[in-house]
Amino acid sequence: MENYCHFIDEFISVSGHKNIIIKNWSKEPYTNGWRYGKGQATAVVKPASLIEMWEILKICVKHDLIIIMQAANTGLTGGSTPYGNDYDRPVIIINTLKIKTIQIINEGRQIIALAGSTLYDLENKLKPINREPHSVIGSTSIGASIVGGVCNNSGGSLVHRGPAFTQLSLYAKINEKGNLELINDLDINLGSKPEEILSNLENNNYNSSDIKSSEKLASDNKYETIVRDVDKNTPARFNADERLLYGSSGSAGKVAVFAVRLDTYPAPKKSKIFYVGSNDPNNFWKIRRDILKNFKSLPRLGDYLHRDCYDAAKKYSKDTFIVIEKLGTNFLPTLFEIKRIVDIIAEKTNFLPEKFSDKLMQFLSKFWPNHLPKKMEVYRDNYEHHWVIEMTDEGIKEAEKYFNNFFKNNEGDFFICNSKEAKKAMLHRYVSASAIGRYQALNKKNIGDMMSLDIAFPRNEKKWLEVLPKSIDDQIEYKFYYGHLFCHVFHHNYILKKGADEEKLKKQLLNIYDRVGAEYPAEHNIGHEYYAKPVLKDFYKNLDPTNTFNPGIGKSSKKKYWKN
C-alpha cells in the first residue's frame, strides 16, 4: 500500500477526501458490474469537473496506472468495471457521474453532453422544446449515461435512429510515447490549451459563432435506409460495424470522453401503441417486411416478447414494474443502488441469505394484485408471440389500415392500446430484461448458470425465432426471448440445467449464429463477455497503443503495450 499512498494523496489534492474511495466495502458498487463481472481497484475517484477529470488523468499517466472510465455502471457485459485481479498495474476507476451538464445548441437541434450526463436528464431537458434524444426507453430508465451509449454504439429500441453515434466529441487519449493528449473533435472553438478548452466548455464560455458548421455527423444518418433494406444478408446494426467506429464512438472505454455533441429529434405530435399477437412466427416475418419496405412512416419502435418471457416478466419483474409505474423512472437508479448495497451487506453477514434483496422484493411483490391489463392477458392466453409496435403521426392510420387487412387473411390479431394500456405494455417489455436475473437469484441452488446473448441476425433471415438442436436444447432449463424485431436484434437469455458447461454451450450457440451470418454482440458491446473481432481490436489498439484504458476488453491482453 505504501507505493499507492503517494498518488492517492495527489488524487485527494485534486478532488478532495470525500471523492476518493479506497475502502473495499465502499468500492464494491463501482467494482461489481450491474449484471456481469467484478474485480479489484486501488481507488475510485469521482471528479466534479472536467478540469478535475483532466488532472486525475494526468496523475494516472504519471504513475503508470490502469484507468477504467465509468458513469452509471449499468453495462450488461462487464465493460465498465475491473474484471478479475490479474492486471499488471494498479487499477483506478474514474467515475464521472458528478459531471452531468447538458448544453443545448443550434436552436435545440443539437446538444453537448458532458461526461456523466444521463439519458433521463436529457429527455427531460428536451421536452419543453418538443425535441427528443436518441434513446427514450430502455437504458434511459436505469440512469445510463449519454457518453456511455456513444462509447458502446448502443442501439436502443427506436427503429429509425440506429446506434448512438457521433464524429463530434472531446476526449483524451494516451499516445505511443505514453503522453496524454486532448483531442477536440467537437468542431467548437474553445481555445488551444487543454485547461482552456475544458474550462470554456464546462462554463459555456463560447457563442454561436464559435460553433462550426461541421460536415461531421452527430448521428447515424444512414440507418433508416439500412433497416428498410430487408433483403440484405447482413445485419442492420452490430458493435463491430466499422462504419460506426470513430473517435469516442464505439471506443468501449479505450479513451476518456469529456463531452459528445449529438443531434436531437422532433418529438411526434401523437403516438399509438399497436399490440400484435400471433402463433405463427412467419406472420411476424411478413409484417416486418411489409412495414419496412412499404410504409411511408417507419415505426418508432417494435419490440418482441415471447410468451415464456411474458410470463417470467409478469412474475419476476413485477416489483420493478410497480416501482417505475408508481415512483417514476427517476427513482430506479436509487433503487438499484439500494439493492446493490443491501446485497453487499448481506454477503458480509452470516444470517442473511445470498441475493437477499431479490428474495425480499420477490416476496413483497406477491401481495400486489395483477398489474397487467386484461387485453394483454387475453393475448397472453391466445398467442405465443407478442409484438409492441409504436406508430406516430401519419403512421398511425397507415398501420391501422394495414393490420385490419392483414389479419383478415392471416392468423393472429391486434388491438390499439389506450394510454394506460400503452404505458403498461411498453413497461412490461422493458422490465422483462430483469426477469432472468431474478429467477436465477431465487433458484440458484437447483439450476445451472445464467447466459445472455445479444444477437443481430441478417436482415433477410426468415428463421428469426431460434430452434435449437436437441443436443443443445436438452442442456437448457428455460429460454427467455425478447428483442427489437424490426432491426432483427434479439436477446437470448438462458437458464442452464445443473451441470451444463456454460463455455462449451456458448461456443456451440455462437457457431450456429456464425453459420447464418449473424453478428454479436448487437448493441451491448463486447465488455469482458465476448471476443473482440479483428476490426474492433485494431480500433482499440489505435486509440490506446499503451493499453492503459480498460485493458482486457474483448478478452484481449491486460498487459501494457498489449503484450501477451
Side-chain angles (χ1 to χ4, degrees), residues 85 156 167 202 214 239 257 326 338 378 408 466 470 479 555:
N85 304 312
Q167 295 175 326
E202 188 154 30
S214 179
N239 284 128
V257 183
K326 302 301 179 184
I338 294 170
V378 170
K408 286 178 183 177
E466 181 174 77
K470 188 175 185 302
K479 300 185 289 285
K555 298 186 183 292

Side-chain angles (χ1 to χ4, degrees), residues 123-131:
E123 187 177 347
N124 287 333
K125 196 173 184 74
L126 291 175
K127 276 180 182 177
I129 58 173
N130 294 315
R131 305 287 292 185

